[in-house]
């Protein structure tokens, strides 16, 4: 698997106590905020919502590609993910995949297995390193 890097520039509105952010990725803008009970203004999804969306979207896109390649008529692919924190502060991503059409049990098992090969799934399952610097 070859994941191409891209640049994500985050611009944060600096009017305290505003937590609202706008991320610019290529020609797209993605907004994030926190709910009112977390001192945000509830103007956009939370960062965890966006993480959930990234995993669900990547899984769905990947499975659609698998279905297209192997001529599996799954119909609409719906994904629901709930993130919970474990006692050790790690996270559990409970991913439920629903397909619209009835397919053979072997095809279901194949799609379930394939869901673990989506790029975002691989990134989240591996230990990662985040390097941070603070510049003036």
């Amino acid at each position: 698997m070859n994941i191409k890097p891209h640049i994500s520039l985050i611009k944060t509105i600096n009017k305290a106590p505003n937590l609202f952010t706008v991320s610019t990725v290529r020609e797209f803008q993605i907004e994030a905020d926190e709910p009112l009970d977390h001192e945000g203004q509830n103007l956009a999804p939370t960062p965890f919502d966006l993480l959930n969306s990234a995993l669900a979207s990547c899984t769905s896109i990947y499975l659609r590609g698998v279905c297209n390649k192997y001529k599996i008529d799954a119909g609409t692919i719906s994904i629901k993910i709930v993130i919970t924190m474990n006692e050790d502060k790690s996270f559990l991503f409970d991913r439920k995949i629903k397909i619209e059409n009835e397919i053979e049990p072997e095809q279901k098992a194949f799609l379930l297995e394939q869901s673990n090969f989506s790029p975002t799934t691989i990134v989240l399952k591996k230990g990662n390193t985040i390097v941070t610097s603070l510049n003036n």
Side-chain angles (χ1 to χ4, degrees):
M1 177 181 62
N2 186 9
I3 299 175
K4 295 179 183 177
H6 67 275
I7 295 173
S8 176
L9 173 63
I10 309 290
K11 297 184 283 185
T12 302
I13 297 171
N14 293 319
K15 295 181 182 177
N18 197 349
L19 302 179
F20 180 80
T21 64
V22 176
S23 301
T24 302
V25 182
R26 299 188 333 259
E27 65 271 18
F28 305 102
Q29 290 193 332
I30 303 167
E31 299 173 342
D33 198 5
E34 291 290 335
L36 296 172
D37 62 349
H38 283 85
E39 300 182 18
Q41 296 178 322
N42 200 39
L43 297 174
T46 69
F48 271 113
D49 294 333
L50 296 173
L51 181 61
N52 247 348
S53 177
L55 179 56
S57 299
C58 186
T59 303
S60 180
I61 290 168
Y62 190 82
L63 289 179
R64 175 61 60 212
V66 169
C67 287
N68 291 347
K69 180 178 179 178
Y70 292 97
K71 310 261 188 278
I72 299 172
D73 184 15
T76 300
I77 298 170
S78 303
I79 300 179
K80 179 181 177 182
I81 300 173
V82 176
I83 301 175
T84 55
M85 186 185 294
N86 298 315
E87 287 183 19
D88 67 355
K89 306 288 186 200
S90 65
F91 291 91
L92 170 68
F93 294 82
D94 184 8
R95 176 172 54 188
K96 307 273 192 234
I97 302 168
K98 182 179 178 184
I99 56 173
E100 178 183 30
N101 295 345
E102 206 46 52
I103 60 174
E104 297 296 322
E106 299 82 20
Q107 292 175 318
K108 283 183 183 180
F110 178 66
L111 291 180
L112 182 61
E113 177 188 6
Q114 289 298 305
S115 70
N116 291 307
F117 297 112
S118 75
T120 304
T121 300
I122 292 169
V123 167
L124 289 173
K125 287 177 107 175
K126 288 187 179 270
N128 295 289
T129 303
I130 298 175
V131 177
T132 305
S133 62
L134 178 62
N135 300 316
N136 289 338

